[in-house]
Amino acid sequence: MPPKQQISAPRSESELLANARRIAGLTLAQLAERAGTALPDSFHNAKGWVGQIIEQQLGATASNLPEPDFQYLGVELKTLPLNRQGLPQETTYVCTVPLLDNEGLHWENSWVRRKLQRVLWVPVEADKQIPLPQRRIGTALLWSPTPPQEAILRQDWEELMELIVTGRLEQISARHGTWLQIRPKAANAKALCTTYDADGRPAETLPRGFYLRTAFTRTILNDHYANHS
DNA sequence: TACTGATCATTC
DNA sequence: GAATGATCAGTA
């Protein structure tokens, strides 16, 4: 195994895109080789493998901090698993849902908005019929929400946060929200955290995360291809 | 087949 | 424990 290559943090969006172009078209086997690491036999015990290796290869700096991956650029990196038809097949995790100290929180300073302000989407083949080593990295695209897109994200966020601030978290299912949804985001069902119930009393609950529906990430890819064809 | 609810690894 | 990186897997 060759030694790990240290990739320095990109200083501009064009440097970041140039880094992304260097891995576009590689198979996961080639990506692993380039990173000097072994490709797991399956993702069952390595669910974040692709995302973490691509972060490393593009020079991301935020590690697991609640910050955009490229702090200096304010750009978030997201891999986008594609199905056989080339469409996103999984929802995209955005950030943790604030269950405490969330009064007076507005869309403008929310983590969701900060993270989605500028995103580098890196498509990766994820069709289970393709063996892991043969799956390929796609061409990355840099994206910001259009005003109509942001309006819907904002509406989703405000409706969901209103339920949370008023102690109705347990009423929220993954069916709420047009493009944003809230789902559990935890190590397991026993990893609880604290929130407040409708009476303002502390209550234990599962940590939650905001996720983007595949219907939304599909429109992002669609719009991009429509403008670049 | 899409979607929801559950889960895995790592870092700090 | 709580944040990051996500995919798994049962079922509607």
Side-chain angles (χ1 to χ4, degrees):
Chain A
M1 219 52 97
K4 273 190 190 176
Q5 206 179 340
Q6 189 56 49
I7 284 82
S8 57
R11 287 168 297 174
S12 66
E13 289 191 345
S14 55
E15 276 191 23
L16 175 55
L17 280 170
N19 287 353
R21 278 191 217 104
R22 266 181 229 118
I23 61 168
L26 295 184
T27 63
L28 294 190
Q30 292 170 323
L31 184 71
E33 185 181 357
R34 185 168 294 210
T37 188
L39 181 65
D41 293 332
S42 103
F43 287 149
H44 179 77
N45 290 318
K47 295 184 181 180
W49 190 87
V50 174
Q52 307 211 307
I53 298 300
I54 291 184
E55 275 188 347
Q56 174 203 319
Q57 289 296 303
L58 298 188
T61 54
S63 162
N64 59 337
L65 302 174
E67 298 280 333
D69 296 298
F70 302 94
Q71 296 159 297
Y72 176 74
L73 301 177
V75 174
E76 175 73 12
L77 172 67
K78 289 294 177 196
T79 58
L80 207 46
L82 303 185
N83 64 18
R84 194 179 327 181
Q85 301 169 69
L87 301 173
Q89 70 172 9
E90 290 279 356
T91 54
T92 301
Y93 170 69
V94 179
C95 61
T96 302
V97 176
L99 298 179
L100 242 32
D101 301 323
N102 46 23
E103 287 177 50
L105 189 57
H106 297 287
W107 168 249
E108 282 71 20
N109 51 22
S110 68
W111 290 351
V112 173
R113 181 168 182 272
R114 276 192 66 200
K115 288 239 172 183
L116 296 183
Q117 201 61 31
R118 196 75 173 145
V119 178
L120 183 74
W121 297 100
V122 181
V124 180
E125 284 181 334
D127 175 3
K128 293 209 187 259
Q129 292 192 345
I130 307 176
L132 247 52
Q134 296 173 24
R135 297 185 191 174
R136 289 168 302 168
I137 311 294
T139 303
L141 56 117
L142 209 39
W143 168 88
S144 292
T146 65
Q149 285 174 333
E150 178 164 342
I152 294 183
L153 292 171
R154 174 186 189 138
Q155 187 179 3
D156 284 345
W157 183 89
E158 288 175 346
E159 289 176 6
L160 290 163
M161 287 308 298
E162 175 66 16
L163 288 169
I164 289 169
V165 170
T166 54
R168 291 177 285 172
L169 170 66
E170 304 304 335
Q171 294 177 23
I172 298 177
S173 86
R175 295 173 182 81
H176 283 81
T178 304
W179 285 338
L180 269 183
Q181 63 175 188
I182 285 181
R183 307 213 310 276
K185 174 73 162 104
N188 56 62
K190 290 173 183 168
L192 301 179
C193 66
T194 305
T195 185
Y196 292 111
D197 64 19
D199 300 321
R201 301 179 188 285
E204 297 297 302
T205 191
L206 224 41
R208 312 299 164 97
F210 283 110
Y211 295 80
L212 294 176
R213 297 182 185 279
T214 55
F216 183 55
T217 48
R218 287 174 185 190
T219 68
I220 293 174
L221 284 187
N222 262 336
D223 293 350
H224 179 79
Y225 296 142
N227 293 325
H228 294 80
S229 57

